Amino acid sequence: MWLRAADHDCRRYVSASNVLAGTVALERVARKLVLIGSSAAGLGDIHATPIAPALPGVEVHAQLLEAIIARAELSRPSAAQLWEWLATLAVGVMLVIAVALVGPRWSLAVVALMVGACFAGAAYGLAGADLLLDPTLPALAVNAVYGALVYGRYVREGRGCREMRRAFTRYVSPDLVNEMVAHPERIRLGGEQRVMTFLFCDVRGFTGVAERFKDDPAGLTRLINRFLTPMTEAVLRHRGTVDKYIGDSIMAFWNAPLADPEHAAHACKTALGMFHSLAVLNAALRREAGTDAAAPEAYRLAQRYRLGVGLERNPEKAIELFRREAEQGFANAQYRLGKAYRDGVGVDPDPAEAARWFRAAAEQGYGKAQRALGMRYWRDEGVTVDPVEALKWLTLATYQGISAADDSRRALIKELSQSAYIMGEQRARMWHPQHVGRTALRLEMGIGINSGACTVGNMGSDQRFDYSVLGDSVNLAARLESQSRNYGVGVILSDDTCALAAGFATLPLDLIAVQGKREAVRVHALIGDHDVAQRESFRELAARHEAMLTAYFAQNWTAAYELLAACRAAARARGPLRDLLPVHRPLSRGSARPRLVRRVRGTRQVARQA
């Protein structure tokens, strides 16, 4: 039988000493069952019950007899264990559903409610119907199921977070990864349509750079890593995603995998940051080559001997030092040595030797030497007269902002035929600097940015796929990057990007019809950030530039050329705006009408008819 246990009750006891002394009243034991036993702990007849931790065995027997006489024993049906197992199964299933619906946090309240219901039900059955049911099994099952579910969810989410971090840390900034982990519901890795901004960045003249490292492939790898690292940091710093590296090129996009309402502005800020990082890298390369902006010690000493600053003037000693530096490949020393041979300072005049040193410096991109070499080809000084070669070098010097070269070039153009002019311009476009000796390597790059609709998501094969983008807008961004060199600018924006990133300093360039597209696309040059756009000097230049393009598109060639010269003069006179000089390269040949459509490396540049 199942005993309803009670606590120790001293009223049930009659001391044996009182019985022996005869002091116990007879009515106390009359007509009653008397059990004789001991309550001494030393006799070992002490037992624990559900109610009392230490109860004499005789009292346990007394409680049993009392329950039998009063018919107050507890009942436990044969199906009680089945009921308990069914209750365990029911609460377990309900808890699984609750965790799936409301999550672990609110499911904890459900657990507490279920455990309380189990014990409350057992207590009600015991008090109301003397029914003995065990609530511990369902209660323990509820806690075990809840712990297993929470642990399993923790393991799955931890694995998912690690996979997400591993998948996106290579492309996305750590802050953006943290946001993705905190809000995974915002991410859709499958293909979806979005309006995004795309950036392509490429090193110009990389073939020539690679040629310098033909005997040192590891050195080329180190150089590219030094280039790609700060460029990638610029992308990640402005919430961008690096799609892929293609040799020396970077492809990046914005507004995925997380939404970025300012995706176009962030792409423009990234482009400007990239050029800042490139300037830092080029300065480091100059320092490493010993050709920093400050001339080498021998060159500075030669200048002091030449000018007599702090030392007695000694042209011969200056020439000796200049020659030493020139033979090591320093372009500034080569130019100075060429001037010495031209003017007969410290050495006997020698036009051929002057032309040789001017050429050595000009081939490395030294603007003053390019102008001097162009003049010698024009005037037949030390080299055979060649007007086409003269136009090439004067044009290159003009691109670098040498005003005297621009004036000479304009005068030379009036003497040339149409074919000679075209040939000279083509030679200038195809020219690349040649670096020798310890001359520092200088990297240049071009960037194209476009905004538009595309498909973004996991793309590839069943065996391997990447998170990438696909669409016509992506292709246009790549085409714009290739046009940056033709227009002499660092960053080219499409009209859509320019509209989305309002407030940046930009200048309209042209209408171009990219190969494979029927409609022409208006493109702009990105000059600077909002601070540059607010400068009065830039506003004046932008107004002149707009007037120049209006005259150009209206085929008013004389006015366009005059406004172009004014734009170049304005940019040259305003410090930081000197970088705009390549934008305003000559558009016309004297008063002749330029061709409205010309093919340049797979694209057609289109000027709108009036």
Side-chain angles (χ1 to χ4, degrees), residues 23-32:
T23 58
V24 178
L26 292 179
E27 61 271 13
R28 177 81 184 275
V29 296
R31 304 181 63 85
K32 296 179 181 178

Side-chain angles (χ1 to χ4, degrees), residues 84-112:
E84 293 165 0
W85 280 105
L86 290 176
T88 301
L89 179 62
V91 295
V93 172
M94 287 188 292
L95 184 59
V96 170
I97 297 174
V99 171
L101 292 178
V102 300
R105 179 179 300 177
W106 290 106
S107 296
L108 185 60
V110 177
V111 169

Side-chain angles (χ1 to χ4, degrees), residues 341-356:
Y341 277 109
R342 181 193 66 186
D343 302 332
V345 179
V347 292
D348 293 333
D350 188 337
E353 194 69 7
R356 181 172 79 88

